[in-house]
Amino acid sequence: MSFWAVSRGLTPPGKVAPKLNPNQRQFLEDELRYREKLKMLAGGNAVDDMYVRKQDTVDDPLELDKHDAFYDTTKSLLVLFQIMGVMPIHRNPPIKNLPRTEYSWTSKQVMWAIFTYSCQTTIVVLVLRERVKKFITSPDKRFDEAIYNVIFISLLFTNFLLPVASWRHGPQVAIFKNMWTNYQYKFYKTTGSSIVFPNLYVLTYSLCIFSWLLSIAINLSQYFLQPDFRLWYTFAYYPIIAMLNCFCSLWYINCNAFGTASRALSDALQATIRDGKPAQKLTEYRHLWVDLSHMMQQLGRAYSNMYGMYCLVIFFTSIIATYGSISEIIDHGATYKEVGLFVIVFYCMCLLYIICNEAHYASRKVGLDFQTKLLNINLTAVDSATQKEVDMLLVAINKNPPIMNLDGYANINRELITTNISFMATYLVVLLQFKITEQRRSQTT
């Protein structure tokens, strides 16, 4: 077409730009950036301008401890987990080339965990034997009492899953703790200021105390509401309920810390944008954000089995307790025993709500809120290199979504609450249909 126009003395038509869909446009932009960086690398004189991640270096352990505010403010919960034998990780002395937090099967923390677990298991076995014996030898018991036995027998089995669900993932938990330590020092070296966690020290101490007080209150309430629940049974349930409360507190604290770190990073980024030619600094901020997203994923990976068991216990207990209370109200009317079952359901649903809601807020603060602040930047007031780095940071957020995931088993967000409630409603409808059908048969005969 162009040759025909030139041969006749006419102006050739201009090139028609192809229309690309969003995925094709994203792929083209990524390819252009990659080619540009290859040219800069081939030039040999612009390596400093090529914004790539710097190689990790071995940091001074004393400097790491100096800026590890997260460990200092949450140390009380770590010590409580060590005392209870739930997660026997330990802090190494400040020696170079040695990780600050480590898990070792030969450490004194693991030996103490084995000792406490053995003592606790002895009490659990005695209580389990007693409750199973009563459950089998008393077939004429009321239905709500049988439901109580099923619930509290199932809770006892969580004790036997502790070594598999918690101790086996000790190395992953140590990796997560070291990621927090290294991230805070890297944040300080990049921004010149440390991450501050306001009120986290007091909050952690308060949650440690509250976890045990709530465990004592729940067990004593069941002791007064159930006539066959002896006082010495409570000693088997105190550490189990307290462990569930402490894991909920651990999740809440980490999600809160993720939001604080994301807010500090966005504030530092906005301050850097106002400076002249902040492109290279934005590259380091991009790496900091990716590390923060990876930490959120590592939290779910490290505690995947424990929180997976956590959700299953909540799901099973909520269904059984709700069905037992409704069924007993249909048969004999409302009593104080049904109040105890509703207390169990309310407790389980509160734990699930806290975990899912905090994960939702953490993902939103690290992802959507951070992305919104980037989109509000006036790109016309900065140079082209800064515009490209902002664009690459948006691409990094899009390709590394900050999702709280239990190692591929489930995503922890608000959707999990609605899914859990819908499944519970389905099972309850089916069980109550069987119950009503059985009542009608007994009335006709």
Side-chain angles (χ1 to χ4, degrees):
M1 187 73 179
S2 300
F3 175 78
W4 178 84
V6 171
S7 63
R8 285 164 175 76
L10 302 176
T11 304
K15 294 182 179 180
V16 179
K19 293 184 178 180
L20 304 176
N21 61 39
N23 291 331
Q24 290 173 332
R25 184 178 298 278
Q26 185 66 57
F27 178 77
L28 179 60
E29 291 176 355
D30 291 345
E31 287 294 318
L32 291 175
R33 290 194 194 94
Y34 183 66
R35 287 185 182 181
E36 182 180 354
K37 290 192 175 184
L38 286 179
K39 289 180 181 178
M40 294 168 68
L41 184 62
N45 55 354
V47 178
D48 293 337
D49 296 329
M50 194 175 94
Y51 307 126
V52 296
R53 182 186 287 268
K54 297 178 182 179
Q55 292 185 352
D56 292 334
T57 57
V58 179
D59 296 315
D60 185 4
L62 296 178
E63 288 294 323
L64 289 174
D65 289 347
K66 180 180 177 181
H67 300 283
D68 196 357
F70 182 74
Y71 172 77
D72 294 335
T73 53
T74 62
K75 184 179 178 180
S76 56
L77 187 58
L78 174 62
V79 173
L80 180 59
F81 274 146
Q82 291 176 343
I83 295 174
M84 295 171 62
V86 176
M87 182 50 65
I89 58 176
H90 62 275
R91 192 79 165 177
N92 283 327
I95 302 175
K96 206 165 187 179
N97 297 324
L98 192 65
R100 298 301 302 117
T101 306
E102 194 174 16
Y103 180 87
S104 174
W105 288 101
T106 59
S107 65
K108 60 181 181 180
Q109 286 80 8
V110 173
M111 297 297 109
W112 169 258
I114 294 174
F115 172 74
T116 56
Y117 178 74
S118 302
C119 298
Q120 180 180 332
T121 303
T122 302
I123 301 175
V124 167
V125 169
L126 293 175
V127 174
L128 180 62
R129 179 183 176 185
E130 190 78 11
R131 295 198 75 104
V132 171
K133 183 179 178 181
K134 286 187 176 183
F135 183 73
I136 296 175
T137 57
S138 302
D140 55 341
K141 275 191 173 184
R142 288 180 51 169
F143 184 69
D144 59 344
E145 296 178 0
I147 290 296
Y148 270 119
N149 276 322
V150 171
I151 292 173
F152 282 95
I153 287 173
S154 65
L155 281 177
L156 291 175
F157 279 101
T158 59
N159 176 77
F160 302 106
L161 297 175
L162 182 63
V164 178
S166 183
W167 297 356
R168 190 170 67 90
H169 284 262
Q172 292 295 328
V173 176
I175 291 174
F176 173 71
K177 296 292 185 182
N178 288 322
M179 288 176 71
W180 258 120
T181 301
N182 295 325
Y183 181 84
Q184 292 173 95
Y185 186 51
K186 189 183 298 182
F187 185 93
Y188 170 75
K189 291 193 297 184
T190 302
T191 64
S193 61
S194 300
I195 303 176
V196 179
F197 300 97
N199 303 323
L200 194 60
Y201 184 83
V202 177
L203 178 63
T204 306
Y205 258 103
S206 302
L207 288 175
C208 291
I209 298 172
F210 179 74
S211 297
W212 269 94
L213 291 178
L214 182 61
S215 174
I216 294 172
I218 291 174
N219 282 286
L220 290 180
S221 68
Q222 300 305 317
Y223 167 70
F224 288 112
L225 292 172
Q226 297 184 59
D228 61 340
F229 196 98
R230 299 181 181 178
L231 184 61
W232 71 276
Y233 289 179
T234 59
F235 291 97
Y237 293 103
Y238 286 144
I240 293 176
I241 302 297
M243 178 184 67
L244 297 178
N245 296 336
C246 288
F247 271 111
C248 184
S249 302
L250 175 70
W251 190 270
Y252 177 83
I253 289 169
N254 277 283
C255 290
N256 194 348
F258 287 140
T260 303
S262 176
R263 187 164 53 251
L265 181 60
S266 63
D267 292 342
L269 185 143
Q270 289 180 337
T272 303
I273 288 291
R274 292 190 289 266
D275 297 336
K277 296 184 178 181
Q280 188 168 4
K281 208 70 173 178
L282 286 182
T283 304
E284 298 176 6
Y285 287 158
R286 171 161 50 91
H287 299 154
L288 282 174
W289 186 92
V290 171
D291 291 341
L292 185 62
S293 179
H294 289 171
M295 271 201 302
M296 294 181 67
Q297 298 169 17
Q298 180 64 24
L299 173 63
R301 190 179 301 114
Y303 295 99
S304 59
N305 285 3
M306 207 64 215
Y307 284 106
M309 180 193 73
Y310 201 95
C311 294
L312 290 176
V313 168
I314 290 174
F315 180 70
F316 176 78
T317 305
S318 300
I319 291 179
I320 296 297
T322 305
Y323 173 66
S325 57
I326 296 176
S327 179
E328 194 63 21
I329 289 174
I330 293 175
D331 290 342
H332 304 96
T335 62
Y336 284 109
K337 290 184 178 180
E338 281 65 55
V339 174
L341 289 174
F342 280 119
V343 167
I344 295 174
V345 174
F346 179 75
Y347 167 73
C348 290
M349 295 309 297
C350 283
L351 292 181
L352 182 64
Y353 175 78
I354 291 172
I355 290 175
C356 295
N357 194 56
E358 290 304 315
H360 167 78
Y361 277 120
S363 298
R364 194 185 72 178
K365 290 176 183 177
V366 177
L368 180 61
D369 292 353
F370 193 89
Q371 193 175 31
T372 302
K373 291 182 178 179
L374 282 176
L375 293 173
N376 290 332
I377 295 175
N378 184 14
L379 295 181
T380 60
V382 296
D383 57 350
S384 59
T386 302
Q387 293 176 7
K388 291 181 181 180
E389 283 302 328
V390 172
D391 198 14
M392 292 182 70
L393 183 52
L394 290 171
V395 171
I397 295 174
N398 187 38
K399 294 187 176 181
N400 296 278
I403 298 174
M404 311 288 278
N405 183 280
L406 297 182
D407 201 15
Y409 291 108
N411 291 334
I412 307 299
N413 48 36
R414 284 180 173 174
E415 186 180 354
L416 184 62
I417 302 176
T418 56
T419 303
N420 198 349
I421 293 175
S422 63
F423 276 120
M424 285 175 55
T426 303
Y427 283 112
L428 285 174
V429 168
V430 174
L431 291 172
L432 288 174
Q433 284 177 343
F434 282 116
K435 179 70 177 179
I436 294 172
T437 303
E438 183 182 354
Q439 280 186 334
R440 289 176 178 175
R441 286 180 182 177
S442 61
Q443 289 175 358
T444 53
T445 58

